[in-house]
Amino acid sequence: MSFKDRESFDNLWKTSQRNTTIQKYLSFYLGFETVRLVPLFRSWALGWRVLTVLSLQTYYTAMLVGYTSQWYQPLFSAYLNKYKNAAKSDLFDIQDEKKKYFMIDTSQYMNYSLSDVSDEYHVNHGPQPIGEAMDSSYLAEVDKFLRGEPNNLKGHKRFLDYDFEFSDKSFPSADKVADLMHKKN
């Protein structure tokens, strides 16, 4: 299908759907007005009147869609008949020029050797963010430190040595709270 015809077909489809939606709302209004104006329906209970409105909406929608489809049906048929020789039933027979760009060449799967793998690659030999190998060695040093084993954490190049003064921010004892509360100035 040419681009122009595809756009025209899509616009025609959207127009018919918009028309159907408008007809549904119009049918609801007609159903409501019918129930409101016919004396027999007004005498019924509320639940039956609501069901009658919905039933009449369905009936009016079918009538209106059937009436307007006589204008859309020949146009849809003309577009589909124009391209009926190009229709394919097998998905693999469909060739779309826009999608050919995204085909991935898999003719040389894993076309690298172990000599191509450097520190920037993980043990699964897939590309990893730069520095992952160094980050993992730093985490190994942190693990050794936390387990109390000998380590070289402070000598690692990723270790950040900040000068700071430790202040105890733990919860104060009852005596400290009492001293603070009853302290005289």
Side-chain angles (χ1 to χ4, degrees):
M1 201 178 242
S2 68
F3 180 75
K4 181 181 175 188
D5 283 348
R6 191 181 309 174
E7 288 294 310
S8 298
F9 189 80
D10 185 49
N11 289 337
L12 182 64
W13 174 257
K14 287 177 182 172
T15 302
S16 71
Q17 292 304 305
R18 185 172 48 247
N19 234 0
T20 303
T21 304
I22 290 169
Q23 290 164 358
K24 285 181 182 177
Y25 285 112
L26 178 63
S27 297
F28 181 76
Y29 175 74
L30 290 174
F32 175 77
E33 286 298 317
T34 303
V35 169
R36 189 177 69 84
L37 294 175
V38 173
L40 175 68
F41 296 146
R42 278 190 301 192
S43 65
W44 292 354
L46 179 64
W48 289 110
R49 283 186 286 177
V50 170
L51 288 175
T52 306
V53 168
L54 296 176
S55 300
L56 288 172
Q57 177 194 11
T58 305
Y59 173 75
Y60 289 140
T61 301
M63 291 309 208
L64 290 171
V65 169
Y67 180 71
T68 57
S69 67
Q70 65 184 336
W71 296 304
Y72 289 110
Q73 191 270 336
L75 295 172
F76 281 123
S77 296
Y79 276 117
L80 295 176
N81 283 333
K82 183 177 179 181
Y83 293 101
K84 71 179 175 185
N85 294 334
K88 307 284 186 204
S89 60
D90 187 11
L91 289 177
F92 293 107
D93 291 339
I94 299 172
Q95 297 294 325
D96 190 358
E97 294 298 323
K98 289 182 184 177
K99 292 183 180 176
K100 283 186 178 180
Y101 175 78
F102 296 104
M103 293 299 175
I104 298 171
D105 180 24
T106 58
S107 59
Q108 294 182 348
Y109 178 68
M110 290 184 65
N111 58 350
Y112 54 86
S113 64
L114 291 176
S115 61
D116 297 331
V117 178
S118 66
D119 285 341
E120 286 81 29
Y121 289 84
H122 196 262
V123 292
N124 66 359
H125 304 298
Q128 299 292 322
I130 293 175
E132 172 113 356
M134 289 304 293
D135 286 343
S136 66
S137 66
Y138 174 71
L139 294 175
E141 291 296 326
V142 170
D143 285 341
K144 288 179 188 175
F145 171 76
L146 293 173
R147 286 193 300 261
E149 299 174 359
N151 60 68
N152 187 22
L153 181 62
K154 290 192 175 185
H156 197 279
K157 72 178 195 174
R158 299 262 182 202
F159 181 76
L160 300 175
D161 193 11
Y162 289 116
D163 292 332
F164 64 93
E165 195 171 311
F166 179 75
S167 61
D168 186 13
K169 294 183 178 180
S170 60
F171 196 75
S173 65
D175 295 334
K176 287 184 179 178
V177 171
D179 289 343
L180 182 66
M181 297 288 285
H182 302 295
K183 186 178 188 182
K184 301 222 179 191
N185 289 338

